[in-house]
Amino acid sequence: MVATALTLEDISGRLEEVRSRIDAAARRSNRSPEEVKLLAVSKSHPADIIRRAIEAGVSDLGENRVQEAEEKITEVGRSSARWHLIGHLQSNKARRAVTLFDVIHSLDSVALARRLESMCVEEGREKLPVLIQLNLAGEATKSGIDKEELPELVETVAGCSHLSLTGLMSVPPFFEDTEKVRPLFRQLRELRDKLKSQGVFAEGQGELSMGMTHDFPVAIEESATIVRIGTAIFGERQVT
Ligand SMILES: *Cc1c(COP(=O)(O)O)cnc(C)c1O
């Protein structure tokens, strides 16, 4: 592995820049910047860099693989930050995910919901916040459900007393022109609003986890409440 040169000062500077872009996007759309949570995506970056990010003020970290996350969470400390799983979760890793993560953004099947529920019971986890991941562009290579499957999954989660549905998440395709992704962000918001009108989310609730390094300003303009940002904070990922 190539030694990374990011110092605490580098990370602080990058964070400050990201935060000011979050603020600008929020103000452009008449929102308060406090409505937007920054999730720092640390996948592929080592534990010492994560520690530096926490020192620089990061409170929420996103990882996409259970095994990689487990190694780093063990090193950095389970309670040093809030840990979010943002990648696809295989059911044989559900038990570890339930003990390692504070929030799971990638709930994408009825079977996984049931599995997480029973793992919560076995592991003594009282409440696990989950977001349902949607595959809005119907990409064959991406996880997430079609919007037609949403009602059934919402109902399943409602029947799981240890799961708490806190919002919706999506990873839309990469478009060079970020305006092209706007309709997909809007769609996620509309799905969230529909669930709100059905009483699934209370007023002021129903997170929208959407927006990454290249498109987060557009996501915020379209009501994102959680942006998942890796590259703009940690630099390019090392290919593993
Ligand atoms: C890697 C990843 C991100 C962060 O991507 P960047 O472009 O580096 O900001 C966000 N969300 C998910 C689901 C990811 O896997």
Side-chain angles (χ1 to χ4, degrees):
M1 217 174 359
V2 183
T4 164
L6 276 189
T7 64
L8 174 59
E9 222 169 53
D10 294 331
I11 296 182
S12 299
R14 282 164 168 269
L15 269 172
E16 204 173 306
E17 195 177 317
V18 167
R19 291 218 170 94
S20 78
R21 293 178 65 200
I22 290 174
D23 279 23
R27 290 180 202 292
R28 265 203 305 283
S29 41
N30 293 313
R31 302 182 63 204
S32 157
E34 282 92 71
E35 289 172 33
V36 185
K37 267 177 276 180
L38 172 59
L39 176 50
V41 177
S42 50
K43 66 186 190 207
S44 93
H45 298 287
D48 58 325
I49 294 290
I50 297 178
R51 280 200 204 93
R52 250 166 256 170
I54 293 171
E55 209 178 321
V58 162
S59 58
D60 290 78
L61 287 152
E63 287 283 338
N64 68 336
R65 290 196 206 139
V66 175
Q67 190 161 338
E68 179 189 336
E70 182 167 32
E71 289 166 20
K72 293 193 275 185
I73 293 172
T74 306
E75 270 195 70
V76 175
R78 174 68 183 82
S79 56
S80 303
R82 286 172 55 80
W83 301 93
H84 300 244
L85 180 66
I86 59 173
H88 178 65
L89 177 58
Q90 289 169 301
S91 86
N92 62 354
K93 302 214 169 108
R95 182 186 301 278
R96 272 190 291 166
V98 158
T99 62
L100 285 169
F101 292 97
D102 293 288
V103 186
I104 290 177
H105 289 234
S106 46
L107 178 62
D108 61 359
S109 74
V110 164
L112 181 60
R114 298 211 170 106
R115 175 91 183 150
L116 286 169
E117 170 75 1
S118 65
M119 292 301 103
C120 284
V121 172
E122 290 186 20
E123 297 295 324
R125 176 90 186 246
E126 199 172 319
K127 275 285 180 201
L128 176 66
V130 296
L131 289 83
I132 292 176
Q133 181 176 356
L134 283 120
N135 182 354
L136 295 172
E139 294 169 279
T141 56
K142 285 222 183 121
S143 44
I145 59 165
D146 295 339
K147 60 179 188 296
E148 290 73 27
E149 301 170 272
L150 186 56
E152 189 194 2
L153 189 46
V154 167
E155 200 176 320
T156 301
V157 177
C160 293
S161 59
H162 295 269
L163 304 185
S164 155
L165 181 65
T166 58
L168 304 179
M169 179 269 212
S170 193
V171 188
F174 178 95
F175 292 108
E176 197 64 51
D177 173 6
T178 55
E179 279 308 312
K180 294 206 171 117
V181 78
R182 190 183 291 279
L184 295 172
F185 290 145
R186 194 167 292 170
Q187 248 189 67
L188 197 69
R189 182 188 69 204
E190 285 165 1
L191 290 170
R192 191 273 316 264
D193 290 347
K194 191 167 167 202
L195 293 177
K196 238 185 205 177
S197 73
Q198 296 166 347
V200 173
F201 299 125
E203 197 44 50
Q205 311 226 299
E207 305 267 19
L208 289 172
S209 168
M210 59 189 198
M212 305 169 34
T213 290
H214 82 286
D215 58 14
F216 74 86
V218 179
I220 291 170
E221 287 167 15
E222 296 301 330
S223 302
T225 65
I226 303 173
V227 289
R228 308 178 309 264
I229 300 182
T231 310
I233 297 170
F234 296 107
E236 294 296 328
R237 280 181 285 278
Q238 279 151 15
V239 184
T240 51

